Amino acid sequence: MDRIDAMRAFVQVVQEGSFTQAANRLDTSPQLVSKYVSQLEQRLGVRLLNRTTRRVNLTEAGEGYYQSALQVLADIEDMESQLGDLQADARGTLRISAPVSFAIHHMAPLLSAFQQAHPGVKVDLQLNDRKVDIVEEGFDIALRIGHLRSSSLIAKRIAPVRVVLCASPDYLQRHGTPEQPMDLIDHHYLHYSYMDPGLGGSALKCLQRNRQPLSMVSNNGDVLVAAAMSGAGIALQPTFIAGAAIRKAQLQVVLPDYEPEPMALYAVYAHRQLLASKVRSFIDFIDGYFGDPPYWDEF
């Protein structure tokens, strides 16, 4: 027995005063309405209606159950209405996890434009280069950069992410410009401690065999790019951080022919079906927002 259908049948019988009229309202048969009410009484262990050939009347137990049933059905209708509104008009708090440097450089204009388009959505943006558990930690969406591994989560590719070797013109003048990957062994390397292990290429392998003591290790790419600009060494960093300095000739791309395979920026979320409107709206909005190639590669 479907409890909600049985409850609706019972309420309709009370309101119409007749199994036949209730069946007409529900677009079903009087026999099915009578069956629903009988099963409901059996389950509750009480008689809800006194039946005569011409009329049905509530018992004392039926009166109490009727008032409660009205409230339950009203609550269900209200809940469904609210969910329908949520799907039609994005609203609520959208919790996003994003990498620190990417968010600082590129997300403020995006989020401002998104909220202008969807004023009912409040954004809660948390910055973290750690791979968060979006389900356990209550995020709606996580932006991730790398070579995505297989996962039970859904991932939408947003933009390619180039990673380049770069150094300041002053550093290259003092230490020489590498012409092949093996030349990197004798250069000062500014190492990013969260480097994607899936990032391949001969240049990275040579950097990992570096004979010089590491000039700097950091878990933040902005610090390493700033150090490279000051002449401290060669950094392997994404262009969404280094692109502006390259464009201004504060940094120079090294060994461009040996650039690692591009990574990508992904929007990761938990479910494909029955997606909340706030999540779907954000994914649709960010898709293509940065361009392909993205604007930070214009140098």
Side-chain angles (χ1 to χ4, degrees):
M1 177 185 67
D2 186 303
R3 295 183 187 180
I4 303 301
D5 285 343
M7 192 179 296
R8 286 196 176 104
F10 167 72
V11 166
Q12 202 67 58
V13 169
V14 173
Q15 292 176 342
E16 297 297 328
S18 160
F19 283 88
T20 301
Q21 291 299 321
N24 290 337
R25 285 280 188 178
L26 295 171
D27 194 24
T28 187
S29 68
Q31 292 80 11
L32 183 58
V33 172
S34 179
K35 179 180 177 182
Y36 271 141
V37 174
S38 296
Q39 288 180 338
L40 188 60
E41 289 178 323
Q42 290 173 16
R43 181 180 175 279
L44 295 173
V46 295
R47 179 174 290 279
L48 300 174
L49 296 171
N50 287 319
R51 302 160 175 83
T52 68
T53 56
R54 303 184 64 179
R55 187 76 183 170
V56 294
N57 297 293
L58 284 168
T59 64
E60 183 179 356
E63 180 65 42
Y65 185 81
Y66 173 68
Q67 297 300 328
S68 297
L70 283 176
Q71 185 61 55
V72 169
L73 293 174
D75 288 344
I76 291 173
E77 184 175 349
D78 183 58
M79 177 184 66
E80 291 177 345
S81 176
Q82 288 183 28
L83 289 174
D85 290 343
L86 188 62
Q87 286 303 106
D89 184 17
R91 65 180 66 181
T93 299
L94 181 67
R95 296 198 72 225
I96 303 172
S97 171
V100 177
S101 292
F102 181 83
I104 290 172
H105 284 276
H106 303 288
M107 287 199 67
L110 163 72
L111 294 178
S112 177
F114 173 73
Q115 288 191 293
Q116 288 181 32
H118 301 281
V121 179
K122 173 187 173 183
V123 174
D124 178 0
L125 176 65
Q126 300 293 317
L127 308 188
N128 202 319
D129 289 328
R130 171 180 61 86
K131 183 180 288 187
V132 301
D133 185 321
I134 65 174
V135 176
E136 289 293 325
E137 298 181 50
F139 287 101
D140 297 298
I141 296 174
L143 298 183
R144 291 182 181 166
I145 294 168
H147 297 289
L148 215 61
R149 311 308 191 265
S150 60
S151 168
S152 60
L153 301 174
I154 310 303
K156 171 72 174 178
R157 184 182 181 276
I158 303 301
V161 174
R162 286 178 60 196
V163 180
V164 297
L165 288 160
C166 54
S168 70
D170 173 67
Y171 173 87
L172 296 175
Q173 186 175 5
R174 287 185 287 114
H175 296 276
T177 300
E179 296 182 358
Q180 57 184 351
M182 284 296 295
D183 295 339
L184 295 170
I185 290 176
D186 295 313
H187 276 272
H188 297 286
Y189 175 35
L190 308 174
H191 177 62
Y192 179 56
S193 54
Y194 286 170
M195 184 62 67
D196 186 342
L199 198 65
S202 56
L204 180 58
K205 291 179 182 177
C206 290
L207 283 172
Q208 292 169 340
R209 293 163 52 195
N210 194 277
R211 286 197 287 243
Q212 296 290 334
L214 288 175
S215 297
M216 184 181 296
V217 178
S218 177
N219 66 352
N220 182 266
D222 280 291
V223 171
L224 297 175
V225 167
M229 290 168 62
S230 69
I234 295 178
L236 181 65
Q237 283 295 304
T239 53
F240 65 74
I241 300 177
I246 295 170
R247 188 163 51 250
K248 297 174 184 176
Q250 295 169 316
L251 289 175
Q252 180 178 325
V253 176
V254 175
L255 297 174
D257 293 338
Y258 296 91
E259 185 177 308
E261 282 293 314
M263 300 185 293
L265 170 69
Y266 294 92
V268 178
Y269 51 101
H271 305 288
R272 188 186 303 275
Q273 295 181 338
L274 299 178
L275 198 59
S277 182
K278 62 183 179 181
V279 178
R280 187 182 305 280
S281 296
F282 182 78
I283 291 169
D284 290 343
F285 193 87
I286 196 174
D287 186 20
Y289 179 87
F290 301 112
D292 191 354
Y295 61 79
W296 54 73
D297 281 340
E298 296 175 358
F299 52 77

